[in-house]
Amino acid sequence: MKEDEGYEEARKLLKERYGKEYRVAAAHLQRLVDGPPIKSEDANALQQFSIQLTSCTNTLEKIGYLHKLNNSENLKRIVERLPYAMRVKWRDTVDRIVEIQQRDVTIKDINKFVTAKARAANHPVFGKIAIEKPKPLKQNQRTSQYGKATGFATQSTSQSPKCPQCGSNHWLSRCDKFKKQSLEERQKFVREKKLCINCLSTGHFVRSCEKESFCKVDGCVGKHSTFLHPKLQQPLNTKKNDSKQKEKIPEDRRSEDNHSETQGNNANNGYVKSKPGGSSPITGLAIVPIEVKAKGSSKTVKTYAFLDSGSNTTFCTEKLLEELEIHGTKTKLSLTTMQAENVPEQCTMVSLEILDLAGNSEINLPTVYSRPNLPIPKDAIGRQEDVNRWPYLTGIRINSIDADIGLLIGSDVPEALQPREMRQSQNGGPFATRTALGWVLNGPLGRNGTKTSTANLAQANLTSDEKFENYCNYEFNDYKYDTNPTMSQNDRKALGIMEESVKMENGHYEIALPWKNYPPDLPNNKT
């Protein structure tokens, strides 16, 4: 296009794609509320949060979307990112604003509060407060401090644990003698030893236990150990049959070191649960909800995308292409998977664009091949309830949609797979990764279902048809491949004349003119 027209068109396109005020407001809002929590005494992170808060407030006020931030729910989520001690002080500040100034709290109040705290925390002399180390406990002093482990089999203290049941050096939850007892015997023993019914330790009771509930029985909301979970009430007409069935269960299935079900009590391991019907723990895969559309089209479809680093090609389902109402180019691929090598497949090749659900990140998928289906179980999709099950994943939010897994994005699209933030696994749980498209969970999710083994390894190569087409392109002058330019004979002759005639004369270089015929036949035009 001409310069003037092209400039105007470029600004128009940029305005349509990136200049929508609601998109700008949504991006700023998400960056504020979905960021990681700020640790105590992390002055640098608090300063960056203050700058981000000021920038967001000014921007949204300028474009007229400040009311998005002044929403009470959004204000609460912003404050939740502050350290605990700072949230306590903010609560007092809110009380003064409401009672004395007789008005509601706004984002500007939070901005002013955070700016003042960040300025104080970054003072060059008095900003950093030294933390006193706790005095070492004497041997005869009891302690009720525990590590951050959430499983009853992974508690840790500074001293070796001593089992109150058998006297060995292990936790009560790992004592074979304790596990083989009936539910009534275990409950009686815990009462007599004055143990916490949640963590099975001395020094405190359940009402003051700092640990979350150790009960791993599905649907239980009580705070107690799995070994103390009450028996389920069975109907009278089935109790007799159930007792006969229990007698047929082999001993090695009723009592194992992995804390499987013990003698009719629904006592399950915190990591491995065994249920009738063949259910097994579910392993989460890197699956994220997205919006997808065809390149150059405005029609979008919500689906799940599997971020598969074991594939060098991106695939989609034929059902997704039907929903997008697009028809690509028919082609053939040679697929190599875990089951077979170099299997020829007829498929459709398209170009797609994907966005996260908030519309902030847009990624192009230039080459996508269709497949009848993608063999990925829906149980492997991480949910918010899986995040809530593991305390070290606090603050992570995962969106859920009612859709199938319609995309498999391979390593040929690195911007979709590369991690931006990661939460490491703890206590046998999953690890979480934040990508450009959102958070995903990888590893054991802590829930049961019908487990399907999944191993994806896909390599896609051009078949002989495409190779033959590329070969034919070399036979014509207007083929689509660039080549290195070559020199003509006259070019070589001119270069040789200049190289042979170059010389230094009175402080400067001189070269002969590369005449085609030498000496040149020039007309005498002096007269």
Side-chain angles (χ1 to χ4, degrees), residues 349-364:
M349 183 175 65
V350 295
S351 295
L352 301 176
E353 295 178 353
I354 58 175
L355 305 92
D356 63 325
L357 294 186
N360 298 323
S361 298
E362 181 175 342
I363 298 176
N364 292 324

Side-chain angles (χ1 to χ4, degrees), residues 90-265:
W90 167 250
R91 183 176 60 184
D92 297 335
T93 303
V94 171
D95 182 68
R96 287 195 298 270
I97 293 175
V98 174
E99 293 298 324
I100 298 176
Q101 301 183 19
Q102 299 292 320
R103 63 177 179 84
D104 292 332
V105 177
T106 66
I107 187 62
K108 292 186 177 180
D109 296 321
I110 299 179
N111 186 18
K112 182 179 178 181
F113 175 81
V114 173
T115 301
K117 298 303 178 183
R119 182 175 62 250
N122 285 273
H123 191 277
V125 179
F126 303 103
K128 190 173 183 179
I129 302 176
I131 301 176
E132 295 183 0
K133 295 183 179 180
K135 296 180 180 180
L137 296 175
K138 296 180 181 180
Q139 293 184 356
N140 59 354
Q141 285 182 317
R142 289 188 175 184
T143 175
S144 62
Q145 297 177 355
Y146 301 94
K148 294 183 179 180
T150 57
F152 55 81
T154 58
Q155 301 170 358
S156 62
T157 65
S158 58
Q159 300 177 355
S160 299
K162 191 172 183 179
C163 177
Q165 177 73 267
C166 64
S168 302
N169 291 331
H170 57 241
W171 294 103
L172 179 60
S173 56
R174 289 196 173 186
C175 181
D176 292 335
K177 184 178 179 181
F178 179 74
K179 291 187 291 183
K180 292 179 180 179
Q181 292 178 344
S182 66
L183 174 62
E184 291 76 12
E185 292 173 340
R186 289 196 293 265
Q187 291 175 341
K188 180 180 179 182
F189 178 81
V190 169
R191 286 195 302 267
E192 291 177 349
K193 295 295 182 179
K194 297 181 179 180
L195 304 179
C196 173
I197 65 173
N198 184 42
C199 63
L200 303 180
S201 300
T202 59
H204 65 277
F205 294 102
V206 64
R207 61 177 175 270
S208 59
C209 183
E210 298 178 354
K211 294 295 180 181
E212 295 185 1
S213 176
F214 283 96
C215 186
K216 303 302 178 182
V217 178
D218 288 345
C220 179
V221 296
K223 189 173 183 179
H224 52 250
S225 170
T226 309
F227 292 107
L228 303 178
H229 183 81
K231 290 182 180 180
L232 296 178
Q233 297 296 329
Q234 299 290 342
L236 295 177
N237 58 351
T238 62
K239 185 176 294 185
K240 184 175 181 180
N241 294 333
D242 289 344
S243 62
K244 292 182 179 180
Q245 292 177 0
K246 292 173 185 175
E247 292 176 358
K248 298 179 182 179
I249 299 177
E251 180 66 22
D252 58 349
R253 290 184 55 190
R254 283 187 278 129
S255 177
E256 291 278 345
D257 288 338
N258 62 357
H259 300 182
S260 59
E261 292 191 358
T262 60
Q263 299 184 3
N265 301 327

